[in-house]
Amino acid sequence: MTTEPPEPVPAPAAPPAIPPAMPPTAPPAAGPYTPDPYAAPGPYAADPYAAGPYAVAPGELLEAGPEQAPRAPRRPRPVLLATCALVLGALTGGGVGYAVQAQRPPTPLPPLQAARPSYPAEVLDPAALAAEQPAPLAIEGDLTKLLITAPEGSTPWADYPDKPAWTSVGEIAEHSGNASYTFRDLASRGFRRAAEVDWKKDDVRYRVSLIQFAPDHADQAKSVSWLPFADGATGGYKVETTPRRWAESTDQYYYGEAVAKRGSLQMTIEVFGTQQVSADVLKDLAKRQWERII
């Protein structure tokens, strides 16, 4: 057994220096490295100079910049997609329509036809031509003279006029079943003037009235399509079979009415009876009054 000390093991080569990112500070003073001659290298002994898995080669250090938020994915643009779809659809439809129409044979247009103007051979007489025209619709003058009169043997009906007389819109509304409605209705329809005659005979009451509207409200004159009472009359008549009730009373009456118009003039005949109104009597009154205004 020798007593000579073992030969010293040479120190391993130092790895290349890595440039520090920041100026290094002075390490504490230490002596030279002296390996333990009696330490046997084990299989798991760590080499203090071996490069680890995260070792960085010289010159490969990168400086980290400011953190940036990840970019959001781009969303689809529905308006742009819809616009493109419409444009493509229009272009496709137009192209298909043009191709279909181009394959069809041309259709000839019908010849233009126009009737030639014709003129009477003889000269017309202005007076004769005017006489053939219908009578003017404008009705002026005294309306009371156009009303029929009460027949013989009749008596006055309450305080109503038994002779043809002028009446106002307020008086017409007063002796109606609904005064407020009648007044507003006539006033809003362009009421101009009115005439009336009333009488009573054989317990039957009669009222004949002529109401004229303003010229620009001539269409407000009432016309009905009931049973005709005369040829050419623009109106008709009706006879009710169910009794009505007087306003603010329990008394009943049977009603008959005839209405016609001529221009801006409205003719109304009303009959009130304790029994059903005679249709013949009503038709006769309506016919005679119509003949006085045409």
Side-chain angles (χ1 to χ4, degrees), residues 120-133:
E122 58 183 7
V123 179
L124 298 179
D125 184 6
L129 182 61
E132 294 178 358
Q133 301 302 317

Side-chain angles (χ1 to χ4, degrees), residues 15-16 40 44 54 56 62 74 80 92 99 114 122-123 133 160 165 176 225 253 273 275 286 289:
Y44 301 100
Y54 300 99
V56 180
L62 300 177
R74 178 176 295 180
L80 181 60
T92 304
E122 58 183 7
V123 179
Q133 301 302 317
Y160 302 127
S176 65
S225 57
Y253 66 93
Q275 302 294 329
Q289 181 58 65

Side-chain angles (χ1 to χ4, degrees), residues 160-247:
Y160 302 127
D162 59 343
K163 299 285 191 299
W166 293 102
T167 183
S168 65
V169 63
E171 293 172 337
I172 296 175
E174 184 180 359
H175 61 236
S176 65
N178 191 338
S180 177
Y181 171 78
T182 304
F183 183 88
R184 288 185 284 105
D185 178 61
L186 291 176
S188 63
R189 291 165 55 194
F191 175 87
R192 179 185 175 190
R193 56 180 184 166
E196 182 180 312
V197 59
D198 301 79
W199 71 87
K200 180 180 178 181
K201 185 178 181 180
D202 299 333
D203 206 21
V204 180
R205 297 169 175 83
Y206 300 88
R207 173 176 294 144
V208 181
S209 62
L210 297 177
I211 300 178
Q212 190 170 24
F213 297 88
D216 55 342
H217 290 78
D219 57 339
Q220 296 297 326
K222 184 179 178 181
S223 179
V224 296
S225 57
W226 299 333
L227 297 174
F229 57 81
D231 295 337
T234 56
Y237 77 98
K238 68 174 182 178
V239 174
E240 297 182 357
T241 58
T242 303
R244 298 186 181 184
R245 180 173 295 178
W246 295 103

